[in-house]
Amino acid sequence: MTMDCDAFERQVLEGSLTPEAEGHQQGCASCWAFARDVGVLVSAAAPALSHDERAALDRLEADTWRALPRPRPKARPSWLGYAAAAGLGALVTSAGFMAARPVREVVVERLVSLPAPVAELDPEEPNLVTDEVFFDVTWPDFSEGETR
Amino acid sequence: MLRLVPALPASDKALCDAFLAGDRAAFGVLVRRYQEPVFRVVRRYAGSVDEAKDLVQRAFLQAFEAAQRTLPRLAATPGESAFKAWLFRIAVNLGKNQARDGARWATVPLETSADALSRPADALEALERAEAEALTRLAVERLPPRQREVFSLRVDAALPFADVAEVLGISEGNAKSHFHYAVKRLRAEVHALASANPRAKERP
């Protein structure tokens, strides 16, 4: 199979030439010029990094790390924390035991104290019925309370 | 006899797994591995070196923040390039947003002629090279957006066509086709620009 110019160009653009394509390039002036132009174009289109760009890239990793969210430090349990946890655990355990303990029946005795019986009153008692004392109460006189 | 065998670099997949398991240093390795190709791609969207650096940093920060929910899905994807394609997709999208907000595609030559001339090498040759690069960059700017994206990912990041296709969400054949048209168009454009500029006539 002979290689035509279109197939050669495709290989140049894909970046690798078969021996057959290299042979074609030797005998075809336009394909030779195409390959040369593509090489020059590609190298001119992607120039090397300048000094400033290289310096910016050197700083980039460190700057990126600085901008990244810091990992949240894992909380280290302190002795105080252990003690608090143990206390809480003991509290919960005892509460559990209390809740699980069988309930004793409590008998409540009700004590009632009754007042002493009152003697029957006799309506015919003289003090209450006939032996009454009446006082005549009137408005005070105008002269009452004067000091002269 | 004991022979020391240099350790093979960890694969992206292994580094992603390590990162998900809590090893933040694994993410650092990924940053070092991809910061330069990502920079080369996004500098086309940026107006300055600082802007390009900022874009790369934002791409890595976004990747870091989305890693916990995205990396497990990528790990299930066959092939080694899933992380790379995902990272470049983030970077290209950020770059496109930046270019849209700033209404520009980098027109500032990132390596200036003054830089080139300050080198001890042949100044005239350096100047010609700088001019040829400037002409080529100008021609790249004039490419249709999709061709420009494919060209940049292929040339700046040296991604295989399969990865270019994955980054842009197109088929591999489509990516090859865009690249083919882009190069042909660039070639014609650079020839036209060079003929208008007699100093750069020798260049394509």
Side-chain angles (χ1 to χ4, degrees):
Chain A
M1 190 180 110
T2 55
M3 169 154 289
D4 61 8
C5 295
D6 283 343
F8 174 82
E9 286 183 4
R10 276 198 296 276
Q11 286 198 17
V12 169
L13 294 173
E14 291 192 21
S16 63
L17 295 181
T18 59
E20 193 184 5
E22 283 172 358
H24 175 84
Q25 186 183 4
Q26 298 304 319
C28 177
S30 70
C31 283
W32 186 88
F34 180 79
R36 182 203 60 190
D37 285 1
V38 169
V40 175
L41 267 177
V42 166
S43 63
L49 295 179
S50 69
H51 176 75
D52 287 350
E53 290 174 322
R54 185 60 65 190
L57 270 181
D58 288 343
R59 293 192 309 271
L60 196 134
E61 191 194 349
D63 290 353
T64 305
W65 278 121
R66 256 195 296 281
L68 283 175
R70 289 175 185 278
R72 205 175 291 168
K74 286 181 183 170
R76 278 188 193 164
S78 64
W79 289 111
L80 191 65
Y82 278 129
L88 187 68
L91 203 65
V92 170
T93 311
S94 62
F97 276 121
M98 291 292 282
R101 197 176 56 168
V103 180
R104 276 191 302 177
E105 196 176 340
V106 178
V107 180
V108 178
E109 289 183 14
R110 195 169 175 192
L111 297 176
V112 180
S113 62
L114 295 172
V118 180
E120 282 286 324
L121 291 176
D122 182 7
E124 295 300 318
E125 185 77 20
N127 281 341
L128 296 174
V129 177
T130 57
D131 196 13
E132 292 177 335
V133 178
F134 294 96
F135 296 96
D136 188 17
V137 180
T138 60
W139 289 103
D141 188 78
F142 287 113
S143 61
E144 207 173 298
E146 285 182 359
T147 54
R148 273 188 307 175
Chain B
M1 193 178 101
L2 181 69
R3 275 199 317 166
L4 289 177
V5 179
L8 287 172
S11 68
D12 287 0
K13 207 167 189 152
L15 290 167
C16 289
D17 288 344
F19 176 66
L20 284 178
D23 179 7
R24 281 166 67 97
F27 192 79
V29 178
L30 289 167
V31 171
R32 281 194 294 281
R33 183 171 292 176
Y34 288 115
Q35 62 180 7
E36 187 173 330
V38 171
F39 184 91
R40 285 178 180 276
V41 170
V42 299
R43 70 177 175 170
R44 290 198 182 272
Y45 300 88
S48 67
V49 173
D50 283 342
E51 224 173 79
K53 177 179 166 261
D54 184 55
L55 280 173
V56 181
Q57 195 171 324
R58 278 162 54 199
F60 280 117
L61 287 174
Q62 281 199 10
F64 184 90
E65 280 162 11
Q68 294 295 338
R69 61 177 187 277
T70 308
L71 289 186
R73 209 176 61 230
L74 294 180
T77 312
E80 265 296 328
S81 60
F83 173 79
K84 183 167 57 173
W86 177 59
L87 178 67
F88 275 100
R89 198 176 312 139
I90 293 173
V92 168
N93 285 339
L94 284 172
K96 280 156 79 172
N97 290 345
Q98 175 89 4
R100 188 195 57 211
D101 295 345
R104 67 164 166 267
W105 174 267
T107 53
V108 181
L110 292 163
E111 184 175 2
T112 62
S113 300
D115 279 348
L117 286 172
S118 66
R119 289 183 192 150
D122 181 359
L124 185 61
E125 191 187 324
L127 183 62
E128 283 179 354
R129 193 176 57 240
E131 283 177 351
E133 286 173 359
L135 281 180
T136 313
R137 270 194 296 272
L138 192 62
V140 172
E141 285 166 33
R142 293 180 180 178
L143 289 174
R146 185 57 99 195
Q147 287 182 19
R148 205 164 50 199
E149 286 162 12
V150 170
F151 184 83
S152 172
L153 287 168
R154 175 75 180 145
V155 171
D156 295 329
L159 292 187
F161 282 111
D163 290 356
V164 173
E166 200 174 342
V167 171
L168 298 176
I170 56 180
S171 69
E172 190 177 337
N174 204 344
K176 283 179 181 173
S177 168
H178 280 301
F179 185 71
H180 201 118
Y181 283 119
V183 170
K184 288 198 159 183
R185 191 171 175 144
L186 273 179
R187 194 171 172 232
E189 187 89 20
V190 169
H191 275 298
L193 287 169
S195 55
N197 179 1
R199 282 177 65 97
K201 236 173 193 172
E202 299 303 311
R203 303 287 166 184

